[in-house]
Amino acid sequence: MPPRPRPPRRPPRAVVYRRRLIALSVLAAGFLIAWFAIGSVHGGGGHATPATTSVLPPRPFKVVFPEGFTRDQMAGRVDAVARIAERERGKRPRLSRRKYLAATRVARREAGFGARVLPLEGFLFPATYDFTIRTTSSQLVAAQLAAFRHNWEKLNLGYARSKSLTPYDVLTIASMIERETLSPDERGLVTAVIYNRLHARMPLGIDATLRYGLHIPPTESIRASQLESNNPYNTRKLPGLPPTPIANPGLASLQAAAHPRHVDYLYFVRKPDKKHHFFTASFDAFERYKASHGYP
């Protein structure tokens, strides 16, 4: 009989496992390739879709209101930056001088200032604000009022109340300090003069209030006829505080208005450097200083 053929030798078990693993890897790779291909066509599959570049919104513009600006000066600044924005973007912003004046013209009640309806002069906090083409004047004013409330909460009005001054009195005094002082270290001294003169029932004699009431530019001298005016802002002639703030003060002047220096000064006059003041409690010393420097 011819010899019977031997049965084929079975490969070792380790080889079988290795071959199966390779086959599974090939199948898995094929599946992933097909899945990614489908994703790239239909917009699914996360990483397979081309990355899209997000368009960032245009950088906002900034409007800067310096401390001591009046409402009218702020309207002028709004107009200036709106023109710049229009030139740069080719679109007219919603902000404008006319709309800002309209948004700030309406008096309103402010929390902590009693039931009176008050004009917004003094409450328009001076700071730097962002705006876009779409920002409205009402939105800008709302941001200023919010900034005012945030800063006003930092004040301690205990001393001012002990002198029978209301929150609105303090705000008015702060506006006067802002317009009268150029040197920060004199804020508390000017406040002291105001407090002392109010206590003595003397006219305050602050020219900045008369300039505000009669719209006298700082580059013009105040005439004798203007000094005799019965304008309610004429603190050279009329006793007490002016009827409203004369500017929009920053935090430093607000704090100074609530915390005067404890000195007995009643008079001050600007020194020749146009920045600092000479302070004194003596009328004779005040007059001698003015005469020696050629002041009327």
Side-chain angles (χ1 to χ4, degrees), residues 191-202 261 263-266:
T191 306
V193 172
I194 294 172
Y195 272 60
N196 293 340
R197 281 183 166 245
L198 287 172
H199 179 73
R201 300 184 183 279
M202 297 172 61
R261 295 275 294 277
V263 293
D264 62 354
Y265 296 151
L266 287 169

Side-chain angles (χ1 to χ4, degrees), residues 32-274:
L32 288 174
I33 292 172
W35 185 77
F36 278 118
I38 293 171
S40 65
V41 172
H42 294 287
H47 298 291
T49 56
T52 57
T53 303
S54 59
V55 179
L56 297 176
R59 182 171 55 87
F61 296 97
K62 296 184 182 297
V63 56
V64 181
F65 296 128
E67 296 173 345
F69 256 33
T70 64
R71 167 177 165 265
D72 192 65
Q73 287 175 311
M74 288 180 171
R77 179 61 59 88
V78 165
D79 187 64
V81 297
R83 292 177 185 274
I84 293 172
E86 183 176 4
R87 285 198 302 268
E88 291 192 9
R89 300 281 163 85
K91 294 181 180 179
R92 183 181 295 277
R94 300 176 72 179
L95 289 179
S96 71
R97 173 186 174 84
R98 179 181 61 81
K99 292 178 180 178
Y100 183 85
L101 287 174
T104 55
R105 186 173 293 122
V106 180
R108 64 185 74 187
R109 292 185 180 88
E110 275 295 320
F113 287 81
R116 290 174 57 193
V117 175
L118 301 170
L120 290 189
E121 190 82 278
F123 294 98
L124 302 169
F125 196 76
T128 300
Y129 297 90
D130 290 343
F131 74 96
T132 68
I133 298 295
R134 291 180 168 273
T135 303
T136 66
S137 293
S138 295
Q139 289 171 331
L140 175 57
V141 172
Q144 289 185 269
L145 294 177
F148 171 82
R149 296 176 193 121
H150 174 74
N151 284 276
W152 183 259
E153 290 174 355
K154 301 175 183 178
L155 299 188
N156 182 345
L157 299 180
Y159 183 80
R161 289 195 179 98
S162 75
K163 300 300 180 181
S164 301
L165 295 174
T166 68
Y168 197 58
D169 292 339
V170 172
L171 180 61
T172 301
I173 292 171
S175 74
M176 297 162 68
I177 296 166
E178 202 71 82
R179 298 296 283 189
E180 277 292 317
T181 57
L182 294 176
S183 180
D185 61 344
E186 290 188 353
R187 289 189 177 104
L189 297 176
V190 172
T191 306
V193 172
I194 294 172
Y195 272 60
N196 293 340
R197 281 183 166 245
L198 287 172
H199 179 73
R201 300 184 183 279
M202 297 172 61
L204 298 180
I206 303 238
D207 289 344
T209 64
L210 184 58
R211 288 186 180 278
Y212 179 85
L214 295 180
H215 307 287
I216 305 171
T219 54
E220 293 183 10
S221 298
I222 299 176
R223 301 190 300 271
S225 61
Q226 293 170 324
L227 292 174
E228 292 301 317
S229 165
N230 288 322
N231 185 283
Y233 290 88
N234 187 1
T235 57
R236 283 278 199 110
K237 183 178 181 180
L238 304 177
L241 293 169
T244 71
I246 61 170
N248 295 279
L251 179 59
S253 290
L254 290 172
Q255 291 174 329
H259 302 283
R261 295 275 294 277
H262 296 293
V263 293
D264 62 354
Y265 296 151
L266 287 169
Y267 307 93
F268 66 92
V269 63
R270 186 154 292 177
K271 292 181 177 180
D273 67 1
K274 305 297 183 182

Side-chain angles (χ1 to χ4, degrees), residues 186 269-279 289 293 295:
E186 290 188 353
V269 63
R270 186 154 292 177
K271 292 181 177 180
D273 67 1
K274 305 297 183 182
K275 182 178 181 181
H276 298 88
H277 291 87
F278 169 76
F279 293 88
Y289 187 91
H293 291 85
Y295 295 133

